[in-house]
Amino acid sequence: MRAALIGTGFGEQHLSWLTKCPQVELDSVVYATNRERAERLARRFGAAKVSDDAADATDGPSDLVIVASPVFLHAEHAARALSNGKSVVCEKPLALTTAQAQALCSAAREHDAATMVMFQWRFHPALQTLRDALREGRLGRPVCADLQFHHDFLAGEPTPFPWRHTPGQAGAGAFADMGVHLFDLLRWLTGEEFHVAGTLSSTLWASRRSASGTVAGNTEDTGAALLRADSGFPATVSVSRVTGGRRSLRVSLSGDAGSAWADVCPETTAASLASSVPGLQGAWAPGSLRNPYLDFLAPVSGTAGSHVPDFSAGLAAQRLLDAVRMSEVAPVGQ
Ligand SMILES: NC(=O)c1ccc[n+]([C@@H]2O[C@H](COP(=O)([O-])OP(=O)(O)OC[C@H]3O[C@@H](n4cnc5c(N)ncnc54)[C@H](O)[C@@H]3O)[C@@H](O)[C@H]2O)c1
């Protein structure tokens, strides 16, 4: 299987995962602005070609296209790859809007394409253990869920990502960066659908300096959303990309028989799981996140991975992302 990557920011992580899959041969690495970085990655991970034209990936010889470009390009790049019969792995959020995500889902169905949205936290053993415990009834009937994803990669005023601060390019701010992971986790952990009841968010920096000039801070840097599961229990989602000194993904699930909470370090993927349930505890060393491509590529050898988030999971998370944006009570600048 030949693979092509579009986007060399977080795309580097995809290359690192892909090179651990023996059936994958890297064909091309596509960039827009930094050829030197693309060449360095191509050398390090053994890609045959470096290009500044996304068509070399979407229309080239690869069977699999990885879309790790900024969010406003996902729909274009993924749709073109699908129309050329490729399998597609797309970064989160799947698109800028629910309408775009819906169109991508339809195209994937039409072409019978294998797809995945990079909701990699589904592949963490701490969260899989938590999910199993809930589904086996060890926590009893769910009564509430509280999810937090806090980071500080944009706590300072300068930004290496001007596109992240512009709604038309990023779709949203911290809710698109990290909230969409939590929307996916909520659905996947509990097996429930959710409705958004209300949202508050704020933007820390009204403008930011970037290498290409000053950019207005028009997307949220922090946010909190209140949701309700179809079965009735409430859930909270709290996100921040400006929380100085804190980098953590926390999931707490409570039922009428017990409570459990997991803490994952997004940098090292080390994790812990604690609970009120006997035997439901654990600690995971750095590097514990399972390579998502192992499960995505498993159907090729006939053993489908059950946790793979395909484009329909991307669409479901996108609906919640759009609902959160629509339910904003009153954006507050600081
Ligand atoms: N799953 C995760 O945990 C995770 C983490 C970080 C980023 N992401 C996602 O990855 C995507 C990229 O984010 P990033 O942080 O890497 O951003 P980035 O700005 O660092 O990288 C974007 C890359 O896209 C390339 N690019 C831009 N326009 C292009 C074009 N027209 N054709 C080809 N390439 C183009 C740029 O050259 C750059 O290499 C976003 O969707 C983001 O949400 C996901």
Side-chain angles (χ1 to χ4, degrees), residues 229-242:
D230 273 353
S231 69
F233 69 85
T236 60
V237 161
S238 156
V239 290
S240 169
R241 55 189 187 184
V242 293

Side-chain angles (χ1 to χ4, degrees), residues 146-159:
D146 300 296
L147 281 70
Q148 304 180 349
F149 198 160
H150 286 212
H151 210 286
D152 61 359
F153 76 106
L154 285 171
E157 182 255 338
T159 182

Side-chain angles (χ1 to χ4, degrees), residues 8-10 32 68-70 73-74 91-92 120 161 163-164 181:
T8 58
F10 193 69
S69 44
L73 293 165
H74 289 185
E91 262 306 338
K92 44 52 55 177
Q120 72 268 33
F161 313 104
W163 62 269
R164 276 192 156 89
H181 280 296

Side-chain angles (χ1 to χ4, degrees), residues 6-11 14 30-34 52-54 67-74 77 91-93 118-121 160-161 163-164 176-177 181:
I6 307 175
T8 58
F10 193 69
H14 288 257
V30 180
Y31 69 99
T33 49
N34 188 339
D52 63 357
D53 184 356
V67 179
S69 44
V71 180
F72 67 100
L73 293 165
H74 289 185
H77 290 159
E91 262 306 338
K92 44 52 55 177
M118 192 43 74
F119 292 134
Q120 72 268 33
W121 302 111
F161 313 104
W163 62 269
R164 276 192 156 89
D177 282 327
H181 280 296

Side-chain angles (χ1 to χ4, degrees), residues 126-161:
L127 298 176
Q128 292 185 349
T129 304
L130 188 53
R131 180 180 189 262
D132 290 346
L134 184 71
R135 290 183 175 226
E136 288 159 9
R138 295 174 75 191
L139 305 181
R141 229 163 29 138
V143 294
C144 62
D146 300 296
L147 281 70
Q148 304 180 349
F149 198 160
H150 286 212
H151 210 286
D152 61 359
F153 76 106
L154 285 171
E157 182 255 338
T159 182
F161 313 104

Side-chain angles (χ1 to χ4, degrees), residues 272-287:
S272 63
L273 176 66
S275 84
S276 63
V277 179
L280 183 58
Q281 283 85 27
W284 287 265

